[in-house]
Amino acid sequence: MHQSIVPQSYGALRRWRYFELDSVEEAQARITGVLHPHKLIPGRQLRNARYRMDFLPLSGLGFAAINHGGAMHVDSLGSNDDYLLLFCPSGTGVVQYGGEEFELSGRLGFAYNPGQSFQARFSEQNEQFVIKLSAEVVGRHSDGGLPILKPQVDLDAPAMQPWLAMVRALLSSPGMLDLARSKRMIAANLEDLLTLLLLEGHPHQQQTLRRSVALAPATVRRSEEFIRQNAAKPLNLAMIAAAVDVRQRTLLEAFRRFRDTSPMKFLRDVRLDAVRARLADRDAPSTVAEAAVEFGFGHLSRFSQAYRRRFGENPSQTLARAQRRSS
């Protein structure tokens, strides 16, 4: 007998109706807000189509059941920070990823790793079941960085039986879900246990992604872009986190894991690079003090020390070299 996730196995999730809409655009926006950025393309226009979603967030863990109301094509935009496990308990589905196709059913799922993009097709009368795990939670239980999960998830695999049993037990128990919703410690222990069982049962590659630009979460990349564009403005950690809509603690952990630094140290380095570029530009003459103050360095002695550590010379030497070239 095949092991699988069927709609009855997550019956308690039905209590958390997130939306019921007749607009594909609104449904797309609501799903994007809690799961992953994507585009929904209906297979054909259906009269009186209803899009439904049940969603239960538990800190770094989330469960969702999505009904598209008809055949649907999903185009993931590849900018999600979380891990997703995607199944299709009703109807059929196929994911296209990395030049391959992966079947979706209640038994076969697709494991989405942060930063990936994929496309999926779902049949009429489909329902998707999705489990979301934050990269922060997964990284806490892996050695040397974030793991890369194998794309195809097979619940028939003996090693996946403990994980599947835990999912079934949790999502068929309204009382357990109520406790997890009201008690942060219980939710944290449940997400830790589910993550550990997944990593124990599902094949994955243990890779250190800390310095990987391509695979860094979108929050890190968006933060870096925000910092570069606003380096000359007064910034602090709270402002950077708010700009990318993430908690400060989460942002700190993501920078530590993927960049081996902090957002504020990254900001300082961006500012030092900007000052150096200004001092080296012979067509935009500036004094050391003017360039330093322009990019947020109010303490010139500390600025000079940081500049010397980063570039191996004093800022005055950079300026003098530019002035010699212009004379």
Side-chain angles (χ1 to χ4, degrees), residues 65 74 78 96 139 196 198 208 250 256:
V74 177
Q96 295 175 321
L196 287 167
L198 176 66
T208 301
T250 300
R256 183 196 67 77

Side-chain angles (χ1 to χ4, degrees), residues 18-234:
Y18 181 54
F19 67 74
E20 188 165 353
L21 301 164
D22 56 10
S23 166
V24 65
E25 292 82 7
E26 291 182 33
Q28 174 182 297
R30 298 289 295 275
I31 298 171
T32 291
V34 296
L35 285 184
H36 65 106
H38 69 298
K39 184 175 182 180
L40 293 178
I41 306 170
R44 59 176 179 150
Q45 295 298 326
L46 298 176
R47 184 172 299 176
N48 300 321
R50 296 291 290 173
Y51 303 90
R52 300 187 300 274
M53 180 177 179
D54 303 316
F55 180 64
L56 174 62
L58 298 175
S59 187
L61 175 67
F63 300 97
I66 305 170
N67 190 312
H68 285 136
M72 184 66 65
H73 179 94
V74 177
D75 190 357
S76 167
L77 303 182
S79 57
N80 189 45
D81 298 350
D82 303 304
Y83 289 85
L84 301 176
L85 299 175
L86 173 63
F87 296 87
C88 191
S90 298
T92 60
V94 175
V95 166
Q96 295 175 321
Y97 167 72
E100 298 183 72
E101 287 195 348
F102 301 94
E103 180 184 349
L104 295 179
S105 65
R107 177 177 71 88
L108 297 174
F110 175 72
Y112 171 97
N113 295 285
Q116 291 179 342
S117 60
F118 66 90
Q119 295 181 327
R121 302 189 308 273
F122 295 97
S123 67
E124 299 275 353
Q125 306 301 319
N126 76 84
E127 181 165 87
Q128 302 162 50
F129 174 70
V130 185
I131 297 179
K132 180 177 78 169
L133 284 169
S134 74
E136 180 182 3
V137 172
V138 176
R140 198 162 62 230
H141 298 292
S142 58
D143 299 323
L146 294 179
I148 305 297
L149 302 180
K150 180 182 177 182
Q152 187 82 79
V153 180
D154 187 350
L155 296 183
D156 262 351
M160 286 296 290
Q161 299 310 298
W163 180 86
L164 177 59
M166 180 68 188
V167 170
R168 286 172 168 170
L170 177 61
L171 292 179
S172 62
S173 172
M176 179 66 76
L177 292 180
D178 286 338
L179 276 175
R181 286 280 290 171
S182 61
K183 304 292 185 180
R184 175 65 185 87
M185 186 62 67
I186 292 176
N189 279 278
L190 288 173
E191 68 187 30
D192 286 342
L193 180 55
L194 276 176
T195 300
L196 287 167
L197 291 175
L198 176 66
L199 294 177
E200 184 69 24
H202 182 65
H204 60 276
Q205 297 177 354
Q206 191 63 54
Q207 296 186 6
T208 301
L209 305 182
R210 184 171 293 167
R211 298 183 183 276
S212 169
V213 174
L215 294 177
T219 51
V220 172
R221 301 194 301 272
R222 293 199 306 268
S223 298
E224 290 172 335
E225 183 61 25
F226 174 79
I227 288 170
R228 291 189 184 100
Q229 292 181 357
N230 297 276
K233 300 177 182 178

